[in-house]
Amino acid sequence: MMPQETNLCASCSILFSITLLCLQLTITATAPTNETDLLAAKNLVTALDLEGYKLRGSLSPYIGNLSFLRSINLQNNSFYGEIPQEVGKIPTELGSLMKLENFQLSMSNLTRGIPPFLGNLSSLKTFTVGYNNLVGNIPDAMGQLKGLVFFSIEVNKLSGTIPSSLYNVSSLQVFSVAYNQLNGTLPTNIGLSLPNLQFLLSSGNAFSGPIPTSLCNATQLRVIDIAENNLSGSVPTNLGNLLDLFKIHLTENYVGRGFHFLTSLTNCSKLRYLDLATNQFGGVLPNSVSNLSTQLTYLILAHNDIFGSIPASLGNFVNLTVLILNDNNFTGIIPTSFGRLQKMEIISLMGNRLSGEIPASIGNLTKLFESTLG
Ligand SMILES: *[C@@H]1O[C@H](CO)[C@@H](O)[C@H](O)[C@H]1NC(C)=O
Ligand SMILES: *[C@@H]1O[C@H](CO)[C@@H](O)[C@H](O)[C@H]1NC(C)=O
Ligand SMILES: *[C@@H]1O[C@H](CO)[C@@H](O)[C@H](O)[C@H]1NC(C)=O
Ligand SMILES: *[C@@H]1O[C@H](CO)[C@@H](O)[C@H](O)[C@H]1NC(C)=O
Ligand SMILES: *[C@@H]1O[C@H](CO)[C@@H](O)[C@H](O)[C@H]1NC(C)=O
Ligand SMILES: *[C@@H]1O[C@H](CO)[C@@H](O)[C@H](O)[C@H]1NC(C)=O
Ligand SMILES: *[C@@H]1O[C@H](CO)[C@@H](O)[C@H](O)[C@H]1NC(C)=O
Ligand SMILES: *[C@@H]1O[C@H](CO)[C@@H](O)[C@H](O)[C@H]1NC(C)=O
Ligand SMILES: *[C@@H]1O[C@H](CO)[C@@H](O)[C@H](O)[C@H]1NC(C)=O
Ligand SMILES: *[C@@H]1O[C@H](CO)[C@@H](O)[C@H](O)[C@H]1NC(C)=O
Ligand SMILES: *[C@@H]1O[C@H](CO)[C@@H](O)[C@H](O)[C@H]1NC(C)=O
Ligand SMILES: *[C@@H]1O[C@H](CO)[C@@H](O)[C@H](O)[C@H]1NC(C)=O
């Protein structure tokens, strides 16, 4: 036990020295440097983790000397560059950390752009700068990061199109650009150029054009979240290739042209979340909807122009907890089969042209706490 404890303390004190070395905090007036510490640190500490320390201040230029750093996590702090006027800027000193694999500066009060020099950090695997106020375009140079796995810039004010070079980083697994002001189309070959993609998170932007059919080639996709954009056309009919697909979120686009894709989703046995609300789906909801996974938990089709009857086969989805069908043009009765939906918590059917009695079987839904049956 003892030697281990000693070692632990030794690395604690080295981390502390590095902290002092790297930061000229407005609250402390220290910046000692000590070559011995630096050399020791090279052997022992490859990470600088200051997440959530409530630190505010500038990074010392000396941080650029810590070229051995593999990981830098300054998440949930407020940092700026050497010159105090550079408030909200990603510090230039970080551009010399060539071994950096992990770059985490989300929630750090950043207000400037993403600097192109970051494209030089060729070891980078994780890049997270979400939840700041970053502006400007995503630099082309980010496409040079050939080993990038996790790209996360969500909830900023970045604008313009995504550089095509970035869609060429075939190692990407997580692509999270949601809630910015990005536009342009999703590239036709996205699923071929990003074959390892698992999470496509692009909601809340101004992307337009069709949903690329090549998504079916990114066979590890688990989440397609492209809601709140300007996408149009139909849902590709080959998404059934995506056996790990868990969530499809398309709400608030201009997508429609029928439900042909539902048949293909039969193979997606892990699908739990299907949200097509506020689009242009018209026509009848076909019985093939019953071929969706019985794990389906959320089915949201509100604000479209779907007519005909509500398929009684929806009663097969015993795991449904949320069923939102309001503001369509459904006619006929509420199926008595809904009495089998024992896990149902929220059901919304208003704004349709349903008739008849509310079936007694609804009384079976003991978990229901919100229902608008209209
Ligand atoms: C540097 O720090 C080490 C240990 O932290 C100490 O032993 C050494 O005396 C210091 N050197 C100088 C020049 O301060
Ligand atoms: C940020 O750090 C503060 C403590 O410094 C903590 O209370 C807060 O929960 C953190 N926020 C997030 C989103 O992690
Ligand atoms: C360390 O960084 C400082 C400030 O950028 C620089 O002046 C100095 O030359 C660097 N030292 C080494 C050994 O790289
Ligand atoms: C960001 O800046 C605001 C205003 O200066 C401050 O109140 C807030 O604590 C800062 N957030 C973090 C995570 O440091
Ligand atoms: C990237 O590194 C190269 C070589 O060190 C250098 O010439 C170039 O200026 C750097 N690019 C940026 C944008 O810093
Ligand atoms: C994308 O947005 C920029 C402004 O951020 C605008 O100049 C450009 O015309 C837009 N492009 C498209 C295709 O909408
Ligand atoms: C993407 O990769 C292909 C094949 O390696 C290459 O031909 C093309 O120029 C690249 N595109 C960009 C924008 O980097
Ligand atoms: C992409 O998927 C389609 C549909 O399964 C398939 O026909 C095609 O061969 C795939 N393309 C590549 C390059 O794997
Ligand atoms: C989205 O599409 C609508 C209708 O097609 C159009 O009026 C609107 O300008 C588009 N918005 C953006 C941000 O591209
Ligand atoms: C319902 O969900 C549970 C938990 O995910 C799962 O174990 C079960 O197989 C599901 N039931 C059906 C009929 O798919
Ligand atoms: C519902 O269908 C009726 C009859 O076809 C049509 O007149 C009406 O406009 C539709 N309402 C909506 C909201 O689509
Ligand atoms: C009501 O629930 C019971 C099990 O709790 C089930 O046997 C019965 O079939 C249900 N009734 C209807 C009409 O679905």
Side-chain angles (χ1 to χ4, degrees), residues 35 38 42 60-66 82 93:
E35 290 298 323
L38 253 188
K42 275 187 202 206
S60 150
Y62 287 99
I63 196 169
N65 292 22
L66 306 182
E82 189 191 353
E93 295 80 17

Side-chain angles (χ1 to χ4, degrees), residues 272 294-295 318-319 343:
R272 294 180 69 151
T294 49
Q295 303 219 3
V318 294
N319 270 332
K343 294 190 180 169

